[in-house]
Amino acid sequence: MRSENEGMAVRVLEGVRVVEIGGMGPGPFAGMVLADHGAEVVTLVRPGRVRRMYEGRTIFERGKRSEVADLKSGPGRARALELIADADVAVEGFRPGTAERLGLGPDDCRAANPRLVYARMTGWGQDGPLARHGGHDINYIGLAGYLHQVGRKGGPPVPPLNIVGDFGGGGLLLAFGIVAALLDARRTGRGRVVDTAMVDGVALMMGHYYMPGARLGPRGTNQFDSGVPFYDVYRTADGGYMAVGATGADLYARMTETLGVDVSDLPGQHDPAGWPELRERLTAAFATRTRAEWTEVFAAVDAAVTPVLDPYEALDHPHHRARGTFVDAGGHREPGPAPRFRELGPGREHA
């Protein structure tokens, strides 16, 4: 079994200095990702800031230090520019134009530091008709075409947790843009502005489905949105759920055999004519045992069938325990840094 910390102590961004000068959610998340991998991150906190959603430290503060600075005041602005003059990256998450009004826009900051990477995080981007409008994850995923596909056939779109827009299309692409611009700055000696928009990021992640051969049908009728019976969730005897991802022929055969579902009289796996009956048989089979019982049965079968865990159950799953996916953090457990970094070499490339 691996140690929880194996592969997590490689500080590949050692020596990179980052200043966060505003923003919530995606920007601080990107800063946390950079700090997890060795960057020195300082967050400028406005005086009297009150956390309205969380008690104690938020995960977005992990690995960072903070300073109180009133960016609307002369001394606060001067302190921000002092830090930025010695930094590699500045990150801001205000609405377009706000940083400029504070005297902390790209031109102000790069005048003090020409090699600075100036990273901006917004929902709509720095230009376009909606640039100065407010919004949240639900708006960005809605306009990018993702929200339309989330939900069951015949039902309305179902707002998911704010993961895809805020942290996937936003924070992670911001972190990628920063690292890419850092590499360019070290090659050219000049910094760049990184314009990261959540709506752009969600559209990018949807890219496959804009291709002619992969165009989506109506909500809930596609392979990966519950449209096929061998890629769906099924209720167990105790009200739990099992996730089935048996898309391949081998997985499908092992899944149906383990469930005791005879499919010899049905059309082939990918023939829609047999799907209504197959769904009924799978539903009935899963309903005969509890989630724990099916979990134990499928633990020894390579069939892409796993339990649907709530977030707090996930903390203690054996796979996560073995990999150290969640780490101890002052009395609670939270996700550890990702991805992992390990050295190449004889006997080590698969460590």
Side-chain angles (χ1 to χ4, degrees):
M1 180 179 294
R2 289 191 179 98
S3 162
E4 283 192 347
N5 294 319
E6 184 183 342
M8 293 185 181
V10 182
R11 299 174 64 82
V12 293
L13 296 178
E14 186 85 49
V16 173
R17 294 181 297 277
V18 181
V19 180
E20 293 181 355
I21 58 174
M24 297 176 61
F29 174 77
M32 178 201 75
V33 171
L34 300 177
D36 281 347
H37 297 299
E40 177 188 334
V41 183
V42 57
T43 304
L44 298 183
V45 183
R46 67 178 181 269
R49 185 184 74 166
V50 177
R51 296 193 187 98
R52 292 170 293 180
M53 296 177 64
Y54 309 100
E55 294 294 330
R57 176 182 70 81
T58 74
I59 194 170
F60 304 136
E61 296 171 82
R62 182 167 73 190
K64 306 177 185 179
R65 66 183 180 88
S66 62
E67 287 192 22
V68 175
D70 181 359
L71 300 180
K72 295 181 180 180
S73 71
R77 175 181 175 276
R79 177 55 178 159
L81 288 173
E82 179 184 2
L83 289 168
I84 288 167
D86 194 40
D88 300 288
V89 182
V91 181
E92 66 96 354
F94 300 118
R95 288 197 193 187
T98 300
E100 284 81 353
R101 289 194 296 274
L102 291 170
L104 294 169
D107 292 341
D108 303 298
C109 294
R110 292 176 68 190
N113 185 350
R115 61 182 173 75
L116 181 74
V117 171
Y118 190 96
R120 318 194 81 164
M121 180 76 260
T122 60
W124 303 116
Q126 296 298 314
D127 51 23
L130 295 176
R132 295 180 182 273
H133 287 225
H136 286 285
D137 185 284
I138 192 171
N139 307 114
Y140 314 134
I141 66 173
L143 206 69
Y146 175 71
L147 179 57
H148 180 272
Q149 296 299 137
V150 182
R152 291 283 176 176
K153 181 180 178 181
V158 178
L161 285 173
N162 62 322
I163 304 297
V164 172
D166 280 355
F167 303 117
L172 285 180
L173 279 180
L174 175 63
F176 167 77
I178 288 170
V179 173
L182 279 171
L183 291 173
D184 181 67
R186 290 184 176 181
R187 179 178 61 86
T188 65
R190 300 187 306 275
R192 291 186 182 273
V193 175
V194 181
D195 175 6
T196 309
M198 288 174 248
V199 70
D200 295 347
V202 178
L204 177 65
M205 292 191 293
M206 286 283 290
H208 168 70
Y209 295 107
Y210 293 117
M211 298 298 98
R215 292 183 67 86
L216 292 165
R219 180 170 46 256
T221 66
N222 304 281
Q223 177 168 328
F224 298 116
D225 66 359
S226 76
V228 300
F230 45 84
Y231 195 94
D232 206 344
V233 296
Y234 289 91
R235 189 177 177 91
T236 58
D238 59 341
Y241 288 89
M242 298 294 289
V244 175
T247 57
D250 291 346
L251 297 173
Y252 176 74
R254 289 190 286 266
M255 181 266 294
T256 53
E257 180 181 355
T258 303
L259 284 168
V261 173
D262 183 6
V263 295
S264 61
D265 61 332
L266 295 179
Q269 175 184 357
H270 295 283
D271 187 340
W275 289 351
E277 176 61 26
L278 175 60
R279 192 180 294 275
E280 288 186 10
R281 294 183 188 184
L282 295 179
T283 299
F286 276 109
T288 62
R289 300 192 189 186
T290 66
R291 190 189 70 175
E293 290 170 332
W294 282 125
T295 298
E296 184 176 359
V297 167
F298 278 101
V301 181
D302 184 8
V305 179
T306 53
V308 177
L309 305 179
D310 72 37
Y312 311 104
E313 291 176 307
L315 293 170
D316 291 312
H317 189 274
H319 184 79
H320 299 322
R321 285 283 187 183
R323 275 189 60 79
T325 301
F326 298 93
V327 297
D328 291 323
H332 71 280
R333 293 179 66 77
E334 63 187 36
R340 315 288 176 87
F341 295 94
R342 298 186 174 92
E343 294 183 13
L344 288 172
R348 304 189 69 174
E349 55 269 38
H350 301 297

